[in-house]
Amino acid sequence: MTVFPPARHDALELEELFTPEEKAIKARVRAFAEQHAAPIINKYWEKAEFPHELRSKFGELGIGGAHIKSHGCQGLTTMGAAAAIVELGRVDGSLSTFFLVHSYLGVMTLGLLGSEAQKAELLPGLSNFSKVAAWALTEPSNGSDASALTTTARKVPGGWILDGRKRWIGNATFADVVIVWARSSETGQVNAFIVRKGNPGFRATKIEHKISLRCVQNADIHLTGAFVPDADRLPGVESFADAAGMLAMSRCMVAWQPVGLVTGVYDMVLRYTSQRRQFGAPLASFQLVQERLARMQATIQAMYLMCHRLSQLYDAGRMSHEQASLVKAWTTARAREVVALGRECLGGNGIVADFLVAKAFVDAEAYYTYEGTYDVNVLVAARGQTGYAAFKTAGRANKAPPPTH
Ligand SMILES: Cc1cc2nc3c(=O)[nH]c(=O)nc-3n(C[C@H](O)[C@H](O)[C@H](O)COP(=O)(O)OP(=O)(O)OC[C@H]3O[C@@H](n4cnc5c(N)ncnc54)[C@H](O)[C@@H]3O)c2cc1C
């Protein structure tokens, strides 16, 4: 089964939410994903390798520059970016994540917080994927509590010396530039630095044995006396709040990722259940299968609409951290349900990567965890509801003296 199934998931004609320009991006990325990625991606997924052979085709899509409108970047709208994320994820979750890390963490951070010289040098190559970016915030000991990061940046004449470790950093094994977040020895505040491929103090080791998003090359990074010149510090970054601002934007885009995943699963399951026969009839003619198909389709429409509204709020400059967290947590949780329903419909083939659904089943797990886990995102959302930051309360409680009774 090599040809990707036709798109049949759009029950409420949600394609109308996109402008003609955004529809053109959607069609372009869908054609790329179906024709070029779908036939080869399982081979790379099996080997847990990134499909570098797709890099030049990625460059032709006109999506690499994210929302940035200068230095060769295309200035996508939020729904234009969503169109690309959905269509990549419909065929493969790893490709969607590669794009998101590169463009909506790397390019956006450089474009919004970099110097004019940094942008002029790096954005043209990044916008057409001839260069690749990574974004390094998480550390082995600081995941959900990323603001407690301990990587240090010590001021020396002409630059900075970076020491510390990072974990889970997507694209980092082959990225040309890695945006590293580190604490300044001068101010105690978090700053951001461009660490370039080949820096002798930088070592990235691929995290092996990952069962989700296997084509994404996540790395453990060791920074050992890595010298970064003054010109490679991002002047727009003054504190952790700047990292949090970038994460809010990318969280809006990450919320769309599960939408792509479930549209692909639905299309695959509809074709499979229509073609496969048991007891003398197509699976799709049995009531239990039809109930699952209807439930999947309804959930997909709701996911789409939640993300669309979040995107509208972002474009209006009114999206809060709480809103982004609410939607990201919700869509990633719903995706787990939809892929599980899809997996059931395929019987034994539901655990074989060739039929897409098994791959989506495990890819949904990474979406559920990164860019803030489900737990942390719902607690951020609930902070908006209640005024209590429960994720912080737990930390303080741990530091309290043990009860005396
Ligand atoms: C595939 C993948 C790609 C990634 N890519 C990148 C990247 O490119 N760059 C980058 O910087 N990072 C990246 N990350 C890191 C990601 O953002 C973190 O994994 C995530 O923030 C969670 O951190 P953790 O894994 O250390 O889990 P932990 O923080 O250790 O959490 C473990 C469990 O405890 C729960 N928990 C933690 N704190 C609380 C609390 N206060 N209240 C209730 N429950 C809590 C969590 O919800 C979770 O269930 C990636 C991660 C993955 C898995």
Side-chain angles (χ1 to χ4, degrees), residues 275-305:
Q275 292 178 347
R276 170 129 177 114
R277 298 173 72 86
Q278 289 294 288
F279 299 95
L283 294 178
S285 66
F286 299 128
Q287 288 183 346
L288 290 178
V289 173
Q290 290 189 357
E291 191 277 339
R292 286 188 197 117
L293 288 170
R295 196 145 41 114
M296 290 167 74
Q297 198 175 45
T299 307
I300 292 167
Q301 313 307 300
M303 290 167 70
Y304 234 108
L305 289 168

Side-chain angles (χ1 to χ4, degrees), residues 161-215:
I161 298 286
L162 269 51
D163 284 287
R165 289 177 61 194
K166 297 287 177 184
R167 181 159 170 80
W168 285 117
I169 311 310
N171 305 344
T173 55
F174 61 92
D176 298 277
V177 288
V178 182
I179 310 288
V180 173
W181 299 84
R183 196 171 296 283
S184 161
S185 60
E186 286 196 319
T187 62
Q189 294 291 345
V190 171
N191 289 171
F193 302 85
I194 300 167
V195 178
R196 292 157 189 269
K197 187 188 248 175
N199 185 317
F202 171 90
R203 185 162 55 90
T205 316
K206 178 180 163 185
I207 297 177
E208 301 284 359
H209 314 304
K210 188 161 58 85
I211 64 158
S212 180
L213 299 180
R214 283 174 61 78
C215 300

Side-chain angles (χ1 to χ4, degrees), residues 109 113 135-137 139 146-147 149-155 159-162 166 178-195 223 228 230 232-244:
T109 302
L113 303 171
W135 200 86
L137 176 68
E139 299 181 345
S147 66
L149 66 86
T150 58
T151 297
T152 55
R154 184 165 48 87
K155 188 75 188 90
W160 301 76
I161 298 286
L162 269 51
K166 297 287 177 184
V178 182
I179 310 288
V180 173
W181 299 84
R183 196 171 296 283
S184 161
S185 60
E186 286 196 319
T187 62
Q189 294 291 345
V190 171
N191 289 171
F193 302 85
I194 300 167
V195 178
L223 293 152
V228 175
D230 283 328
D232 281 354
R233 186 176 88 76
L234 268 59
V237 177
E238 292 176 355
S239 72
F240 184 77
D242 295 305

Side-chain angles (χ1 to χ4, degrees), residues 97 101 105 134-146 166-172 179 181 210 212-213 216 218 247 365-377 379 390-395:
T97 296
V101 169
L105 287 172
W135 200 86
L137 176 68
T138 305
E139 299 181 345
S141 300
N142 297 294
S144 298
D145 191 10
K166 297 287 177 184
R167 181 159 170 80
W168 285 117
I169 311 310
N171 305 344
I179 310 288
W181 299 84
K210 188 161 58 85
S212 180
L213 299 180
V216 178
N218 291 99
L247 285 171
E365 292 304 300
Y367 292 169
Y368 188 73
T369 291
Y370 71 46
E371 199 78 22
T373 65
Y374 174 82
D375 296 339
V376 170
N377 275 307
L379 293 178
F391 51 91
K392 288 188 181 158
T393 311

Side-chain angles (χ1 to χ4, degrees), residues 309-329:
R309 180 62 186 147
L310 188 70
S311 301
Q312 284 181 326
L313 289 169
Y314 177 80
D315 285 341
R318 291 185 3 240
M319 184 192 80
S320 67
H321 287 281
E322 286 80 3
Q323 289 166 333
S325 288
L326 182 74
V327 177
K328 189 271 177 182

Side-chain angles (χ1 to χ4, degrees), residues 344-356:
E344 283 182 50
C345 290
L346 265 64
N349 285 331
I351 62 163
V352 179
D354 296 353
F355 294 84
L356 180 100

